[in-house]
Amino acid sequence: MDGGESVVITGFGPFRQFIVNPSWKAAQGLKLVGLGEGTDVYIKEVPVSYVKTQQIISEIWKTLHPKLAVHLGVARGSSVVILEQTAKNSGYRDKDVCGFCPASHCCLEGGPEKLDSVINMRDVSKQFKKTGMDVIYSRDAGRYLCDFAYYCSLYHGQRRAALIHVPSSGSLASADRLVPLLQSLIQIMLDQLEDPSDRLKVDLLRMTFHTCVASVGMK
Protein backbone atom coordinates (compact mmCIF):
# COMPACT_ATOMS: atom_id res chain seq x y z
CA MET A 1 0.00 0.00 0.00
CA ASP A 2 1.16 3.49 -0.72
CA GLY A 3 2.04 5.84 2.12
CA GLY A 4 -0.39 8.37 3.47
CA GLU A 5 -3.53 6.26 3.02
CA SER A 6 -6.34 6.34 5.53
CA VAL A 7 -8.99 3.94 6.74
CA VAL A 8 -12.03 5.01 8.72
CA ILE A 9 -13.50 2.51 11.15
CA THR A 10 -16.87 3.14 12.76
CA GLY A 11 -18.65 1.44 15.62
CA PHE A 12 -22.11 2.09 16.98
CA GLY A 13 -23.10 3.80 20.20
CA PRO A 14 -25.24 2.41 23.05
CA PHE A 15 -28.08 0.15 22.00
CA ARG A 16 -30.50 -1.81 24.19
CA GLN A 17 -28.47 -3.98 26.60
CA PHE A 18 -25.15 -2.73 25.19
CA ILE A 19 -24.22 0.31 27.29
CA VAL A 20 -20.88 0.24 25.50
CA ASN A 21 -21.46 -1.27 22.08
CA PRO A 22 -19.08 -4.20 21.27
CA SER A 23 -18.62 -2.74 17.79
CA TRP A 24 -17.27 0.50 19.26
CA LYS A 25 -14.96 -1.44 21.60
CA ALA A 26 -13.60 -3.28 18.56
CA ALA A 27 -13.06 -0.01 16.68
CA GLN A 28 -11.11 1.38 19.63
CA GLY A 29 -9.00 -1.78 19.73
CA LEU A 30 -8.20 -1.45 16.03
CA LYS A 31 -7.10 2.13 16.56
CA LEU A 32 -4.62 0.92 19.17
CA VAL A 33 -3.10 -1.88 17.07
CA GLY A 34 -3.28 -0.05 13.74
CA LEU A 35 -3.30 -1.50 10.23
CA GLY A 36 0.37 -1.33 9.40
CA GLU A 37 2.92 1.32 8.58
CA GLY A 38 1.72 4.02 6.20
CA THR A 39 -1.99 3.57 6.98
CA ASP A 40 -3.70 6.13 9.19
CA VAL A 41 -6.66 4.83 11.16
CA TYR A 42 -9.53 7.12 12.12
CA ILE A 43 -12.37 5.88 14.30
CA LYS A 44 -15.82 7.31 14.84
CA GLU A 45 -18.67 6.32 17.13
CA VAL A 46 -22.00 6.46 15.31
CA PRO A 47 -25.24 6.90 17.28
CA VAL A 48 -28.00 4.37 16.57
CA SER A 49 -29.92 7.12 14.79
CA TYR A 50 -30.95 7.24 11.14
CA VAL A 51 -30.51 11.01 10.85
CA LYS A 52 -27.14 11.21 12.60
CA THR A 53 -25.83 8.13 10.83
CA GLN A 54 -26.63 9.67 7.45
CA GLN A 55 -24.93 12.92 8.42
CA ILE A 56 -21.80 11.28 9.84
CA ILE A 57 -21.27 8.88 6.94
CA SER A 58 -21.66 11.68 4.40
CA GLU A 59 -19.20 13.86 6.32
CA ILE A 60 -16.62 11.06 6.51
CA TRP A 61 -16.47 10.74 2.75
CA LYS A 62 -16.54 14.49 2.13
CA THR A 63 -13.76 15.39 4.57
CA LEU A 64 -11.50 12.36 5.06
CA HIS A 65 -11.66 10.66 1.64
CA PRO A 66 -10.52 7.28 3.03
CA LYS A 67 -9.26 4.44 0.90
CA LEU A 68 -11.77 2.25 2.72
CA ALA A 69 -14.48 2.78 5.32
CA VAL A 70 -15.10 -0.19 7.59
CA HIS A 71 -18.34 -0.19 9.55
CA LEU A 72 -18.61 -2.50 12.54
CA GLY A 73 -21.93 -3.58 13.98
CA VAL A 74 -22.90 -6.15 16.57
CA ALA A 75 -24.84 -9.29 15.66
CA ARG A 76 -26.87 -10.08 18.75
CA GLY A 77 -26.72 -13.74 19.71
CA SER A 78 -24.01 -14.52 17.16
CA SER A 79 -20.68 -16.16 17.96
CA VAL A 80 -19.13 -15.65 14.51
CA VAL A 81 -17.80 -12.75 12.45
CA ILE A 82 -20.06 -11.93 9.48
CA LEU A 83 -18.82 -10.19 6.33
CA GLU A 84 -21.66 -8.37 4.58
CA GLN A 85 -21.51 -8.02 0.80
CA THR A 86 -24.70 -6.08 0.11
CA ALA A 87 -26.66 -3.14 1.49
CA LYS A 88 -30.34 -2.54 0.76
CA ASN A 89 -31.96 0.82 0.11
CA SER A 90 -35.52 0.11 1.25
CA GLY A 91 -37.42 -1.74 3.95
CA TYR A 92 -36.31 0.22 7.01
CA ARG A 93 -39.32 0.01 9.33
CA ASP A 94 -37.78 -0.38 12.80
CA LYS A 95 -37.38 2.75 14.93
CA ASP A 96 -33.97 3.93 16.10
CA VAL A 97 -33.02 4.87 19.69
CA CYS A 98 -34.72 8.24 19.17
CA GLY A 99 -37.99 6.56 18.18
CA PHE A 100 -37.55 7.70 14.57
CA CYS A 101 -37.96 5.80 11.33
CA PRO A 102 -37.57 7.31 7.81
CA ALA A 103 -40.99 8.11 6.40
CA SER A 104 -39.95 6.66 3.04
CA HIS A 105 -38.41 3.60 4.74
CA CYS A 106 -35.43 4.23 2.44
CA CYS A 107 -31.81 5.30 2.75
CA LEU A 108 -31.98 7.36 -0.43
CA GLU A 109 -35.19 7.99 -2.34
CA GLY A 110 -34.62 7.09 -5.98
CA GLY A 111 -31.35 5.32 -5.22
CA PRO A 112 -30.46 1.82 -6.43
CA GLU A 113 -32.32 -0.93 -4.57
CA LYS A 114 -29.05 -2.52 -3.51
CA LEU A 115 -25.35 -1.76 -3.57
CA ASP A 116 -22.48 -4.23 -3.33
CA SER A 117 -19.06 -3.53 -1.90
CA VAL A 118 -16.12 -3.60 -4.30
CA ILE A 119 -14.57 -6.01 -1.80
CA ASN A 120 -15.20 -9.67 -2.64
CA MET A 121 -16.42 -10.73 0.79
CA ARG A 122 -16.95 -14.33 -0.27
CA ASP A 123 -13.29 -14.63 -1.24
CA VAL A 124 -12.16 -13.06 2.03
CA SER A 125 -14.37 -15.34 4.12
CA LYS A 126 -13.11 -18.43 2.28
CA GLN A 127 -9.50 -17.55 3.08
CA PHE A 128 -10.28 -17.39 6.78
CA LYS A 129 -12.58 -20.41 6.93
CA LYS A 130 -9.73 -22.53 5.52
CA THR A 131 -7.81 -21.77 8.71
CA GLY A 132 -10.77 -22.80 10.88
CA MET A 133 -11.77 -19.26 11.86
CA ASP A 134 -15.47 -18.49 12.34
CA VAL A 135 -15.86 -15.98 9.52
CA ILE A 136 -18.94 -16.25 7.30
CA TYR A 137 -20.31 -14.49 4.22
CA SER A 138 -23.71 -12.79 4.05
CA ARG A 139 -25.84 -10.81 1.62
CA ASP A 140 -28.46 -9.75 4.17
CA ALA A 141 -27.29 -7.05 6.59
CA GLY A 142 -30.62 -6.89 8.44
CA ARG A 143 -32.31 -3.65 7.34
CA TYR A 144 -31.53 -1.70 10.48
CA LEU A 145 -28.86 0.86 11.30
CA CYS A 146 -25.93 -1.34 10.23
CA ASP A 147 -27.49 -1.93 6.83
CA PHE A 148 -28.53 1.73 6.61
CA ALA A 149 -25.01 3.01 7.40
CA TYR A 150 -23.51 0.56 4.93
CA TYR A 151 -25.75 1.69 2.08
CA CYS A 152 -24.98 5.35 2.77
CA SER A 153 -21.25 4.62 2.81
CA LEU A 154 -21.30 2.50 -0.36
CA TYR A 155 -23.23 5.28 -2.09
CA HIS A 156 -20.99 8.16 -1.01
CA GLY A 157 -17.74 6.19 -1.19
CA GLN A 158 -18.15 4.64 -4.65
CA ARG A 159 -18.63 1.23 -2.98
CA ARG A 160 -15.27 1.32 -1.15
CA ALA A 161 -16.79 0.27 2.14
CA ALA A 162 -17.19 -2.85 4.24
CA LEU A 163 -19.63 -3.92 6.92
CA ILE A 164 -18.49 -6.47 9.48
CA HIS A 165 -20.89 -7.82 12.07
CA VAL A 166 -18.98 -8.77 15.21
CA PRO A 167 -20.21 -11.43 17.66
CA SER A 168 -21.85 -10.68 20.98
CA SER A 169 -21.08 -14.11 22.47
CA GLY A 170 -18.54 -16.92 22.23
CA SER A 171 -14.74 -16.83 22.28
CA LEU A 172 -14.47 -14.34 19.41
CA ALA A 173 -16.39 -11.76 21.42
CA SER A 174 -13.29 -11.18 23.55
CA ALA A 175 -11.12 -8.29 22.39
CA ASP A 176 -7.86 -10.24 22.50
CA ARG A 177 -9.19 -12.64 19.86
CA LEU A 178 -11.51 -10.35 17.91
CA VAL A 179 -9.24 -7.35 17.30
CA PRO A 180 -6.33 -9.32 15.71
CA LEU A 181 -8.83 -11.15 13.50
CA LEU A 182 -10.46 -7.89 12.37
CA GLN A 183 -7.02 -6.41 11.75
CA SER A 184 -6.14 -9.28 9.40
CA LEU A 185 -9.53 -9.12 7.66
CA ILE A 186 -9.18 -5.40 6.93
CA GLN A 187 -5.59 -5.79 5.71
CA ILE A 188 -6.73 -8.39 3.16
CA MET A 189 -9.58 -6.11 2.08
CA LEU A 190 -7.08 -3.30 1.55
CA ASP A 191 -4.96 -5.62 -0.52
CA GLN A 192 -7.94 -6.33 -2.77
CA LEU A 193 -8.34 -2.61 -3.36
CA GLU A 194 -4.64 -2.21 -4.13
CA ASP A 195 -4.49 -4.79 -6.90
CA PRO A 196 -6.90 -7.75 -6.92
CA SER A 197 -4.67 -9.62 -9.42
CA ASP A 198 -1.49 -9.30 -7.36
CA ARG A 199 -1.32 -12.75 -5.78
CA LEU A 200 2.11 -12.19 -4.28
CA LYS A 201 0.77 -9.51 -1.94
CA VAL A 202 -2.14 -11.72 -0.98
CA ASP A 203 0.25 -14.56 -0.16
CA LEU A 204 2.35 -12.28 2.03
CA LEU A 205 -0.73 -11.14 3.91
CA ARG A 206 -1.82 -14.75 4.35
CA MET A 207 1.55 -15.52 5.92
CA THR A 208 1.01 -12.62 8.34
CA PHE A 209 -2.51 -13.83 9.08
CA HIS A 210 -1.39 -17.41 9.80
CA THR A 211 1.19 -16.06 12.23
CA CYS A 212 -1.54 -13.98 13.89
CA VAL A 213 -3.90 -16.95 14.15
CA ALA A 214 -1.16 -19.14 15.61
CA SER A 215 -0.38 -16.47 18.17
CA VAL A 216 -4.06 -16.12 19.16
CA GLY A 217 -4.43 -19.90 19.38
CA MET A 218 -1.64 -20.13 21.93
CA LYS A 219 -3.30 -17.70 24.34
Side-chain angles (χ1 to χ4, degrees):
M1 292 177 288
D2 298 330
E5 293 171 343
S6 65
V7 173
V8 173
I9 301 171
T10 70
F12 281 98
F15 177 66
R16 294 183 181 172
Q17 74 267 35
F18 301 115
I19 297 173
V20 179
N21 199 303
S23 65
W24 178 235
K25 286 183 182 178
Q28 291 173 310
L30 285 164
K31 174 67 174 177
L32 288 175
V33 300
L35 293 172
E37 188 176 351
T39 301
D40 295 324
V41 177
Y42 298 91
I43 63 173
K44 180 70 177 178
E45 186 178 24
V46 180
V48 183
S49 157
Y50 289 107
V51 173
K52 290 184 179 178
T53 292
Q54 204 165 42
Q55 292 170 345
I56 289 170
I57 298 299
S58 175
E59 192 67 17
I60 284 171
W61 286 104
K62 285 180 181 177
T63 60
L64 296 176
H65 310 289
K67 181 172 184 177
L68 179 69
V70 179
H71 307 289
L72 304 178
V74 63
R76 288 189 298 153
S78 174
S79 61
V80 301
V81 170
I82 306 170
L83 307 183
E84 302 289 355
Q85 185 70 60
T86 305
K88 304 295 195 318
N89 186 27
S90 62
Y92 295 90
R93 300 184 180 278
D94 292 332
K95 294 179 180 179
D96 61 20
V97 295
C98 302
F100 175 79
C101 179
S104 64
H105 306 294
C106 291
C107 300
L108 179 69
E109 291 190 59
E113 176 51 35
K114 66 178 183 177
L115 291 172
D116 285 341
S117 173
V118 295
I119 304 296
N120 186 334
M121 299 296 182
R122 189 188 296 274
D123 183 64
V124 176
S125 67
K126 282 181 178 178
Q127 291 182 46
F128 283 75
K129 287 179 76 173
K130 286 177 182 177
T131 67
M133 300 300 288
D134 289 326
V135 177
I136 67 173
Y137 166 86
S138 168
R139 296 189 68 91
D140 183 2
R143 284 187 167 87
Y144 193 49
L145 264 296
C146 294
D147 206 343
F148 187 87
Y150 195 24
Y151 186 94
C152 292
S153 194
L154 291 170
Y155 180 81
H156 290 292
Q158 299 175 322
R159 302 192 298 126
R160 289 180 293 112
L163 172 60
I164 304 175
H165 272 121
V166 302
S168 60
S169 61
S171 61
L172 280 178
S174 64
D176 61 336
R177 294 202 67 197
L178 179 61
V179 171
L181 175 57
L182 292 174
Q183 181 189 44
S184 295
L185 282 166
I186 297 169
Q187 286 171 332
I188 288 180
M189 291 177 187
L190 288 169
D191 187 79
Q192 275 196 19
L193 287 179
E194 185 70 25
D195 186 353
S197 65
D198 191 340
R199 305 314 304 170
L200 176 60
K201 290 181 180 179
V202 172
D203 289 341
L204 288 172
L205 279 174
R206 282 176 178 165
M207 290 172 63
T208 302
F209 166 64
H210 292 321
T211 302
C212 169
V213 170
S215 174
V216 170
M218 290 187 292
K219 293 183 179 180

Coordinates of all heavy atoms in Angstrom, one line a residue, residues 31-97:
K31 N -7.9 0.9 16.5 CA -7.1 2.1 16.6 C -5.8 1.9 17.3 O -4.7 2.4 16.9 CB -7.9 3.2 17.2 CG -7.2 4.6 17.5 CD -6.9 5.2 16.1 CE -6.3 6.6 16.4 NZ -5.9 7.3 15.1
L32 N -5.8 1.2 18.4 CA -4.6 0.9 19.2 C -3.6 0.1 18.4 O -2.4 0.4 18.5 CB -5.0 0.2 20.5 CG -5.7 1.1 21.5 CD1 -6.1 0.3 22.7 CD2 -4.8 2.2 22.0
V33 N -4.0 -1.0 17.7 CA -3.1 -1.9 17.1 C -2.7 -1.4 15.7 O -1.6 -1.7 15.2 CB -3.6 -3.3 17.0 CG1 -3.9 -3.9 18.4 CG2 -4.9 -3.4 16.1
G34 N -3.6 -0.6 15.1 CA -3.3 -0.1 13.7 C -3.4 -1.1 12.6 O -3.8 -2.2 12.9
L35 N -3.2 -0.6 11.4 CA -3.3 -1.5 10.2 C -2.0 -1.6 9.4 O -2.0 -1.9 8.3 CB -4.4 -1.0 9.3 CG -5.8 -1.1 9.9 CD1 -6.8 -0.4 9.0 CD2 -6.3 -2.5 10.1
G36 N -0.9 -1.3 10.1 CA 0.4 -1.3 9.4 C 0.9 0.0 9.1 O 0.2 1.1 9.1
E37 N 2.2 0.1 8.9 CA 2.9 1.3 8.6 C 2.4 2.0 7.3 O 2.1 1.3 6.3 CB 4.4 1.0 8.4 CG 5.3 2.3 8.3 CD 6.8 2.0 8.2 OE1 7.1 0.8 8.4 OE2 7.6 2.9 8.0
G38 N 2.2 3.3 7.4 CA 1.7 4.0 6.2 C 0.2 4.1 6.1 O -0.3 4.7 5.1
T39 N -0.5 3.5 7.0 CA -2.0 3.6 7.0 C -2.5 4.3 8.2 O -2.3 3.8 9.4 CB -2.6 2.2 6.9 OG1 -2.1 1.5 5.7 CG2 -4.1 2.3 6.8
D40 N -3.1 5.4 8.1 CA -3.7 6.1 9.2 C -5.1 5.6 9.5 O -5.9 5.4 8.6 CB -3.8 7.6 8.9 CG -2.4 8.3 8.7 OD1 -1.5 7.9 9.4 OD2 -2.3 9.1 7.8
V41 N -5.4 5.4 10.8 CA -6.7 4.8 11.2 C -7.4 5.9 11.9 O -6.9 6.4 12.9 CB -6.5 3.6 12.0 CG1 -7.9 3.1 12.5 CG2 -5.7 2.5 11.3
Y42 N -8.6 6.2 11.4 CA -9.5 7.1 12.1 C -10.7 6.3 12.6 O -11.2 5.5 11.9 CB -10.0 8.2 11.2 CG -8.9 9.1 10.6 CD1 -8.3 8.8 9.4 CD2 -8.5 10.2 11.3 CE1 -7.2 9.6 8.9 CE2 -7.5 11.1 10.8 CZ -6.9 10.7 9.6 OH -5.9 11.5 9.2
I43 N -11.2 6.6 13.8 CA -12.4 5.9 14.3 C -13.5 6.9 14.7 O -13.2 8.0 15.0 CB -12.0 5.0 15.5 CG1 -11.5 5.8 16.7 CG2 -11.1 3.9 15.1 CD1 -11.4 4.9 18.0
K44 N -14.7 6.4 14.6 CA -15.8 7.3 14.8 C -17.0 6.5 15.4 O -17.4 5.5 14.9 CB -16.3 8.0 13.5 CG -17.5 8.9 13.7 CD -17.1 10.2 14.5 CE -18.2 11.2 14.6 NZ -17.9 12.4 15.4
E45 N -17.5 7.0 16.5 CA -18.7 6.3 17.1 C -19.9 6.9 16.5 O -20.1 8.1 16.4 CB -18.7 6.5 18.6 CG -19.8 5.8 19.3 CD -19.8 6.0 20.8 OE1 -19.3 7.0 21.3 OE2 -20.4 5.1 21.5
V46 N -20.8 6.0 16.0 CA -22.0 6.5 15.3 C -23.2 6.2 16.2 O -23.4 5.0 16.5 CB -22.1 5.7 14.0 CG1 -23.4 6.2 13.2 CG2 -20.9 6.0 13.1
P47 N -24.0 7.2 16.5 CA -25.2 6.9 17.3 C -26.2 6.0 16.5 O -26.2 6.0 15.3 CB -25.8 8.3 17.5 CG -24.7 9.2 17.2 CD -23.9 8.6 16.2
V48 N -27.0 5.2 17.2 CA -28.0 4.4 16.6 C -29.2 5.2 16.2 O -30.3 5.1 16.8 CB -28.4 3.2 17.5 CG1 -29.4 2.2 16.8 CG2 -27.1 2.4 17.9
S49 N -28.9 6.1 15.2 CA -29.9 7.1 14.8 C -29.8 7.2 13.3 O -28.7 7.4 12.7 CB -29.6 8.5 15.5 OG -30.1 9.5 14.7
Y50 N -31.0 7.1 12.6 CA -30.9 7.2 11.1 C -30.4 8.6 10.7 O -29.6 8.7 9.8 CB -32.4 7.0 10.6 CG -32.9 5.6 10.7 CD1 -33.9 5.3 11.6 CD2 -32.5 4.6 9.8 CE1 -34.4 4.0 11.7 CE2 -33.0 3.4 9.9 CZ -33.9 3.1 10.8 OH -34.4 1.8 10.9
V51 N -30.9 9.7 11.3 CA -30.5 11.0 10.8 C -29.0 11.3 11.1 O -28.3 11.7 10.2 CB -31.4 12.1 11.6 CG1 -30.8 13.5 11.2 CG2 -32.8 12.0 11.2
K52 N -28.5 11.0 12.3 CA -27.1 11.2 12.6 C -26.2 10.3 11.8 O -25.1 10.7 11.4 CB -26.9 11.1 14.1 CG -27.6 12.2 14.9 CD -27.3 12.1 16.4 CE -27.9 13.3 17.1 NZ -27.7 13.2 18.6
T53 N -26.6 9.1 11.6 CA -25.8 8.1 10.8 C -25.6 8.7 9.4 O -24.5 8.7 8.9 CB -26.5 6.7 10.8 OG1 -26.4 6.2 12.1 CG2 -25.8 5.8 9.8
Q54 N -26.7 9.1 8.8 CA -26.6 9.7 7.5 C -25.7 10.9 7.4 O -24.9 11.0 6.5 CB -28.0 10.1 7.0 CG -28.2 10.1 5.5 CD -29.7 10.1 5.1 OE1 -30.5 10.8 5.7 NE2 -30.1 9.4 4.1
Q55 N -25.8 11.7 8.4 CA -24.9 12.9 8.4 C -23.5 12.6 8.6 O -22.6 13.1 7.9 CB -25.4 13.8 9.6 CG -26.7 14.5 9.3 CD -27.2 15.2 10.6 OE1 -26.7 15.0 11.7 NE2 -28.3 16.0 10.4
I56 N -23.2 11.7 9.5 CA -21.8 11.3 9.8 C -21.1 10.6 8.7 O -20.0 10.9 8.3 CB -21.8 10.4 11.1 CG1 -22.1 11.3 12.3 CG2 -20.4 9.7 11.3 CD1 -22.3 10.5 13.6
I57 N -21.9 9.6 8.1 CA -21.3 8.9 6.9 C -21.0 9.8 5.8 O -19.9 9.7 5.2 CB -22.2 7.7 6.5 CG1 -22.4 6.7 7.6 CG2 -21.7 7.1 5.2 CD1 -21.2 6.0 8.1
S58 N -21.9 10.7 5.5 CA -21.7 11.7 4.4 C -20.4 12.5 4.7 O -19.6 12.8 3.8 CB -22.9 12.6 4.2 OG -22.7 13.6 3.3
E59 N -20.3 13.0 5.9 CA -19.2 13.9 6.3 C -17.9 13.1 6.2 O -16.8 13.7 5.8 CB -19.4 14.4 7.7 CG -18.5 15.5 8.2 CD -18.7 16.8 7.4 OE1 -19.8 16.9 6.8 OE2 -17.8 17.6 7.4
I60 N -17.8 11.9 6.6 CA -16.6 11.1 6.5 C -16.1 11.1 5.1 O -14.9 11.3 4.9 CB -16.9 9.6 7.0 CG1 -17.0 9.5 8.5 CG2 -15.8 8.6 6.5 CD1 -17.5 8.2 9.0
W61 N -16.9 10.8 4.1 CA -16.5 10.7 2.7 C -16.1 12.1 2.2 O -15.2 12.2 1.3 CB -17.5 10.0 1.9 CG -17.5 8.5 2.1 CD1 -18.4 7.8 2.8 CD2 -16.5 7.6 1.7 NE1 -18.0 6.5 2.9 CE2 -16.9 6.3 2.2 CE3 -15.3 7.7 1.0 CZ2 -16.1 5.2 2.0 CZ3 -14.5 6.6 0.8 CH2 -14.9 5.4 1.2
K62 N -16.8 13.1 2.6 CA -16.5 14.5 2.1 C -15.2 15.1 2.7 O -14.5 15.8 2.0 CB -17.7 15.4 2.5 CG -18.9 15.3 1.7 CD -20.0 16.2 2.1 CE -21.3 16.1 1.3 NZ -22.4 17.0 1.8
T63 N -14.9 14.7 3.9 CA -13.8 15.4 4.6 C -12.5 14.5 4.6 O -11.4 15.0 4.5 CB -14.1 15.8 6.0 OG1 -14.5 14.7 6.8 CG2 -15.3 16.9 6.0
L64 N -12.7 13.2 4.9 CA -11.5 12.4 5.1 C -11.1 11.6 3.8 O -9.9 11.2 3.7 CB -11.8 11.3 6.2 CG -12.0 12.0 7.6 CD1 -12.4 10.9 8.6 CD2 -10.8 12.7 8.0
H65 N -12.0 11.4 2.9 CA -11.7 10.7 1.6 C -10.8 9.4 1.9 O -9.7 9.2 1.3 CB -10.9 11.6 0.7 CG -11.6 12.9 0.5 ND1 -12.7 13.1 -0.2 CD2 -11.2 14.2 0.9 CE1 -13.1 14.4 -0.2 NE2 -12.2 15.0 0.5
P66 N -11.3 8.5 2.7 CA -10.5 7.3 3.0 C -10.4 6.3 1.8 O -11.2 6.4 0.9 CB -11.3 6.6 4.2 CG -12.7 7.1 3.9 CD -12.6 8.5 3.4
K67 N -9.4 5.5 1.9 CA -9.3 4.4 0.9 C -10.4 3.4 1.1 O -10.9 2.9 0.1 CB -7.9 3.8 1.0 CG -7.7 2.7 0.0 CD -6.3 2.2 0.0 CE -6.1 1.1 -1.1 NZ -4.7 0.6 -1.2
L68 N -10.7 3.2 2.4 CA -11.8 2.3 2.7 C -12.4 2.7 4.0 O -11.8 3.2 4.9 CB -11.2 0.9 2.9 CG -12.1 -0.3 3.3 CD1 -13.1 -0.6 2.1 CD2 -11.3 -1.5 3.7
A69 N -13.7 2.6 4.1 CA -14.5 2.8 5.3 C -15.0 1.4 5.8 O -15.6 0.7 5.0 CB -15.6 3.7 5.1
V70 N -14.7 1.1 7.0 CA -15.1 -0.2 7.6 C -16.1 0.1 8.7 O -15.8 0.8 9.7 CB -13.9 -1.0 8.1 CG1 -14.4 -2.3 8.7 CG2 -12.9 -1.3 7.0
H71 N -17.3 -0.4 8.6 CA -18.3 -0.2 9.6 C -18.5 -1.5 10.4 O -18.8 -2.5 9.8 CB -19.6 0.3 8.9 CG -19.4 1.4 8.0 ND1 -19.1 2.7 8.5 CD2 -19.3 1.5 6.6 CE1 -18.9 3.5 7.4 NE2 -19.0 2.8 6.3
L72 N -18.4 -1.4 11.7 CA -18.6 -2.5 12.5 C -20.0 -2.4 13.2 O -20.4 -1.3 13.7 CB -17.5 -2.5 13.6 CG -16.1 -2.6 13.1 CD1 -15.1 -2.5 14.3 CD2 -15.8 -3.8 12.2
G73 N -20.7 -3.5 13.3 CA -21.9 -3.6 14.0 C -21.9 -4.9 14.8 O -21.2 -5.8 14.5
V74 N -22.8 -4.9 15.7 CA -22.9 -6.2 16.6 C -24.1 -7.0 16.1 O -25.2 -6.5 15.8 CB -23.0 -5.8 18.1 CG1 -24.3 -5.0 18.4 CG2 -23.0 -7.1 18.9
A75 N -23.8 -8.3 16.0 CA -24.8 -9.3 15.7 C -25.3 -10.0 17.0 O -24.6 -10.8 17.5 CB -24.3 -10.3 14.7
R76 N -26.4 -9.6 17.5 CA -26.9 -10.1 18.8 C -27.1 -11.6 18.7 O -27.7 -12.1 17.7 CB -28.2 -9.4 19.2 CG -27.9 -7.9 19.6 CD -29.2 -7.3 20.2 NE -30.3 -7.3 19.2 CZ -31.6 -7.3 19.6 NH1 -31.9 -7.4 20.8 NH2 -32.5 -7.2 18.6
G77 N -26.5 -12.3 19.7 CA -26.7 -13.7 19.7 C -25.8 -14.5 18.8 O -25.8 -15.8 18.9
S78 N -24.9 -13.8 18.1 CA -24.0 -14.5 17.2 C -22.7 -14.8 17.8 O -22.2 -14.0 18.7 CB -23.8 -13.7 15.9 OG -22.8 -14.2 15.1
S79 N -22.0 -15.9 17.4 CA -20.7 -16.2 18.0 C -19.6 -16.2 16.8 O -18.5 -16.6 17.0 CB -20.7 -17.5 18.7 OG -21.0 -18.5 17.7
V80 N -20.0 -15.7 15.7 CA -19.1 -15.6 14.5 C -19.0 -14.2 14.0 O -19.8 -13.3 14.3 CB -19.6 -16.6 13.4 CG1 -19.7 -18.0 13.9 CG2 -21.0 -16.1 12.8
V81 N -18.0 -14.0 13.1 CA -17.8 -12.7 12.4 C -18.5 -12.9 11.1 O -18.3 -13.9 10.4 CB -16.3 -12.4 12.3 CG1 -16.1 -11.2 11.3 CG2 -15.7 -12.1 13.6
I82 N -19.3 -11.9 10.7 CA -20.1 -11.9 9.5 C -19.6 -10.8 8.6 O -19.7 -9.6 8.9 CB -21.6 -11.8 9.8 CG1 -22.0 -12.9 10.8 CG2 -22.4 -12.0 8.5 CD1 -23.4 -12.7 11.3
L83 N -19.2 -11.2 7.3 CA -18.8 -10.2 6.3 C -20.0 -9.9 5.4 O -20.5 -10.9 4.7 CB -17.6 -10.7 5.5 CG -16.4 -11.1 6.3 CD1 -15.3 -11.6 5.3 CD2 -15.9 -10.0 7.2
E84 N -20.5 -8.7 5.4 CA -21.7 -8.4 4.6 C -21.3 -7.8 3.2 O -20.5 -6.9 3.1 CB -22.5 -7.3 5.3 CG -22.9 -7.7 6.7 CD -24.0 -8.8 6.7 OE1 -24.5 -9.2 5.6 OE2 -24.4 -9.3 7.8
Q85 N -21.8 -8.4 2.2 CA -21.5 -8.0 0.8 C -22.4 -6.9 0.3 O -22.0 -6.0 -0.4 CB -21.7 -9.2 -0.2 CG -21.3 -8.9 -1.6 CD -19.8 -8.8 -1.7 OE1 -19.0 -9.7 -1.4 NE2 -19.3 -7.6 -2.2
T86 N -23.7 -6.9 0.7 CA -24.7 -6.1 0.1 C -25.4 -5.2 1.1 O -25.7 -5.7 2.2 CB -25.7 -7.0 -0.6 OG1 -25.0 -7.9 -1.5 CG2 -26.8 -6.2 -1.3
A87 N -25.8 -4.0 0.7 CA -26.7 -3.1 1.5 C -27.9 -2.8 0.7 O -27.9 -2.7 -0.5 CB -25.9 -1.8 1.8
K88 N -29.0 -2.8 1.4 CA -30.3 -2.5 0.8 C -30.8 -1.1 1.0 O -30.5 -0.5 2.0 CB -31.4 -3.5 1.3 CG -31.0 -5.0 1.3 CD -30.9 -5.5 -0.2 CE -30.9 -7.0 -0.3 NZ -30.1 -7.7 0.7
N89 N -31.5 -0.6 0.0 CA -32.0 0.8 0.1 C -33.3 1.0 0.8 O -33.5 2.0 1.5 CB -32.1 1.4 -1.3 CG -32.4 2.9 -1.3 OD1 -32.1 3.6 -0.3 ND2 -33.1 3.4 -2.3
S90 N -34.2 0.0 0.7 CA -35.5 0.1 1.2 C -35.8 -1.0 2.3 O -35.1 -1.9 2.5 CB -36.5 0.0 0.1 OG -36.5 -1.3 -0.5
G91 N -37.0 -0.8 3.0 CA -37.4 -1.7 4.0 C -37.1 -1.4 5.4 O -37.2 -2.3 6.3
Y92 N -36.7 -0.2 5.7 CA -36.3 0.2 7.0 C -37.5 0.7 7.8 O -38.0 1.8 7.6 CB -35.3 1.3 7.0 CG -34.0 0.9 6.3 CD1 -33.8 1.0 5.0 CD2 -33.0 0.2 7.1 CE1 -32.6 0.5 4.4 CE2 -31.8 -0.3 6.5 CZ -31.7 -0.1 5.1 OH -30.5 -0.6 4.6
R93 N -38.1 -0.2 8.6 CA -39.3 0.0 9.3 C -39.2 0.0 10.8 O -40.1 0.4 11.6 CB -40.4 -1.0 8.9 CG -40.7 -1.0 7.4 CD -41.8 -1.9 7.0 NE -42.0 -1.8 5.5 CZ -42.7 -0.9 5.0 NH1 -43.3 0.0 5.7 NH2 -42.9 -0.8 3.7
D94 N -38.0 -0.4 11.4 CA -37.8 -0.4 12.8 C -37.3 1.0 13.3 O -36.4 1.6 12.6 CB -36.8 -1.5 13.2 CG -37.3 -2.9 13.0 OD1 -38.6 -3.0 13.1 OD2 -36.6 -3.8 12.7
K95 N -37.8 1.4 14.4 CA -37.4 2.7 14.9 C -36.0 2.7 15.6 O -35.6 1.7 16.1 CB -38.4 3.2 16.0 CG -39.8 3.5 15.4 CD -40.8 4.0 16.4 CE -42.1 4.2 15.8 NZ -43.1 4.7 16.8
D96 N -35.3 3.8 15.5 CA -34.0 3.9 16.1 C -34.1 4.3 17.6 O -35.2 4.3 18.1 CB -33.1 4.9 15.3 CG -33.7 6.4 15.3 OD1 -34.5 6.7 16.2 OD2 -33.2 7.2 14.5
V97 N -33.0 4.6 18.3 CA -33.0 4.9 19.7 C -33.8 6.2 20.0 O -34.1 6.4 21.2 CB -31.6 4.9 20.3 CG1 -30.9 3.6 20.2 CG2 -30.8 6.0 19.6

